[in-house]
Amino acid sequence: MNTELQALFEQDQADRSVFFEQLDHEQRQQVLQRDRARRQRVEELVGSEALQAPEDYFHAAMVFQHGETLEHFWRAHELARRGEELGHPTCRWLTAAAYDRWLMNQGKPQKYGTQYTSRDDEPYRLWDVDPSTTDEERAAWDVPPLAEALRQAEEHTRRRELARQGVPQAQGPQLLASFEVPGLRVEIIAFDERFVHPAPSQERLAREELPAPENFPTGWKLYRLGEEYCATTADGQEVINWYNVQQPLSYAWREQEVPQLEAIQLGDQPAILIKSLYPAFTQLFLRLGEAYYVVSGQVSLNELLQVATSIPT
């Protein structure tokens, strides 16, 4: 399995740890900008024939599933189909979901019934479905029966209302694990890709270069992107990100790969280390000043600890 693709997938999932419509405009733009960078890198890895294992195709397909154009969604469909042929269990459903998203974004009825939509405060609804598709066809691609898909629209609306009311996550999406240190709490909830996919904006956030902290490695640069930050190496490769998040942190993850949560101390600053089963990159949850951040990067834990508290507060 390609560890870089695994890292890109996990970063993609980290950006979808909450309902997308709960983010404000600036936060959405930050997610979209990171999505674009991930897609570009995945396209490079596909072109260099770096995808070999079934997991590689699943990870690449999911990054493209969160794209912006018909070409991205069709790419997700093709990659997922190859992963399904190689035996990846989730790729069967993802093949159908990417095809449905490709149809939906053309204003056409979806074939299987995997995509939902919502406008403003309106309840979620299942996007129009081709009436000729049978539940037997859905089952062949691990898609629930149509009646269950329609019920899920009501469930999505209920979850959104619970989140707005501040109801604990255990009463909303399935809580898989939780961990606390003084002032910090992480909740791992079950990943559900069937949430609404909003229409993307083409607006990009500008990067503002900041003075490099003294503890940065030689040649590294620090940039601000709205309320978030990133560090790059001397050759411009983005290696560490500071994602502005809420406390407690609700982190969506696949049930088969629930990460380990561990207390860690940065001087007098408590933090929570988030360790995935495939540690292609390292993640920390901590408070800096009055804000909370997930700090992640494709670097060693020691390198991340060295600079994790370096941003302005």
Side-chain angles (χ1 to χ4, degrees), residues 14-311:
D15 270 337
R16 285 159 177 83
S17 58
V18 297
F19 287 88
F20 201 86
E21 69 269 31
Q22 289 183 284
L23 303 178
D24 61 30
H25 175 75
E26 184 174 348
Q27 290 172 324
R28 293 187 188 196
Q29 297 312 309
Q30 292 166 354
V31 171
L32 292 169
Q33 185 169 344
R34 292 192 291 269
D35 282 343
R36 291 167 184 142
R38 282 189 287 265
R39 283 196 304 274
Q40 180 178 347
R41 181 55 184 153
V42 170
E43 190 64 73
E44 292 169 354
L45 291 170
V46 172
S48 64
E49 300 183 354
L51 281 64
Q52 300 295 327
E55 292 83 0
D56 296 340
Y57 287 90
F58 170 71
H59 295 150
M62 190 62 78
V63 170
F64 272 98
Q65 178 74 342
H66 297 140
E68 303 175 59
T69 68
L70 294 176
E71 290 75 15
H72 295 155
F73 306 135
W74 189 254
R75 188 68 152 158
H77 172 73
E78 292 179 321
L79 290 165
R81 184 61 185 268
R82 179 56 180 157
E84 186 274 332
E85 292 171 350
L86 293 174
H88 193 283
T90 312
C91 275
R92 183 169 297 171
W93 175 86
L94 185 53
T95 298
Y99 186 62
D100 277 352
R101 187 161 291 179
W102 179 72
L103 290 169
M104 182 182 75
N105 278 269
Q106 298 176 72
K108 299 178 181 179
Q110 56 185 324
K111 178 172 178 57
Y112 298 101
T114 62
Q115 303 299 297
Y116 298 82
T117 186
S118 177
R119 187 182 298 275
D120 300 324
D121 289 331
E122 295 179 0
Y124 286 110
R125 75 172 183 89
L126 184 68
W127 184 258
D128 298 342
V129 181
D130 183 346
S132 68
T133 304
T134 65
D135 281 349
E136 289 73 19
E137 289 179 272
R138 294 184 180 90
W141 293 98
D142 291 344
V143 176
L146 182 59
E148 172 63 17
L150 291 167
R151 190 194 68 79
Q152 281 294 326
E154 298 178 0
E155 177 65 13
H156 294 333
T157 300
R158 186 185 72 86
R159 289 182 181 182
R160 181 177 63 187
E161 291 309 310
L162 288 172
R164 287 175 175 174
Q165 296 167 17
V167 176
Q169 289 287 355
Q171 299 182 39
Q174 182 185 359
L175 182 67
L176 302 177
S178 64
F179 190 81
E180 287 189 65
V181 300
L184 299 171
R185 176 178 172 84
V186 172
E187 298 174 345
I188 305 297
I189 61 174
F191 165 67
D192 188 348
E193 170 58 20
R194 290 171 293 184
F195 287 137
V196 62
H197 177 71
S201 168
Q202 298 298 320
E203 182 179 343
R204 292 177 180 268
L205 286 178
R207 291 201 310 187
E208 175 191 358
E209 185 174 353
L210 302 176
E214 293 181 358
N215 58 348
F216 262 31
T218 302
W220 279 31
K221 295 182 179 181
L222 179 65
Y223 295 91
R224 178 188 284 121
L225 299 90
E227 297 181 352
E228 305 189 346
Y229 301 84
C230 72
T232 65
T233 59
D235 61 1
Q237 180 183 359
E238 196 169 297
V239 287
I240 296 179
N241 292 92
W242 285 260
Y243 302 121
N244 183 247
V245 295
Q246 299 296 314
Q247 155 69 11
L249 173 66
S250 293
Y251 216 143
W253 217 278
R254 290 189 297 163
E255 294 183 52
Q256 303 93 327
E257 299 180 354
V258 176
Q260 295 179 352
L261 304 174
E262 177 183 321
I264 195 168
Q265 199 72 20
L266 301 175
D268 60 356
Q269 175 72 48
I272 297 176
L273 177 63
I274 304 171
K275 301 169 65 177
S276 74
L277 297 183
Y278 305 100
F281 74 118
T282 310
Q283 300 177 89
L284 289 171
F285 176 47
L286 72 166
R287 179 176 178 175
L288 297 173
E290 297 301 314
Y292 297 87
Y293 294 90
V294 168
V295 188
S296 67
Q298 298 180 59
V299 295
S300 70
L301 177 58
N302 286 338
E303 289 177 304
L304 192 67
L305 296 179
Q306 177 184 340
V307 302
T309 60
S310 298
I311 63 172

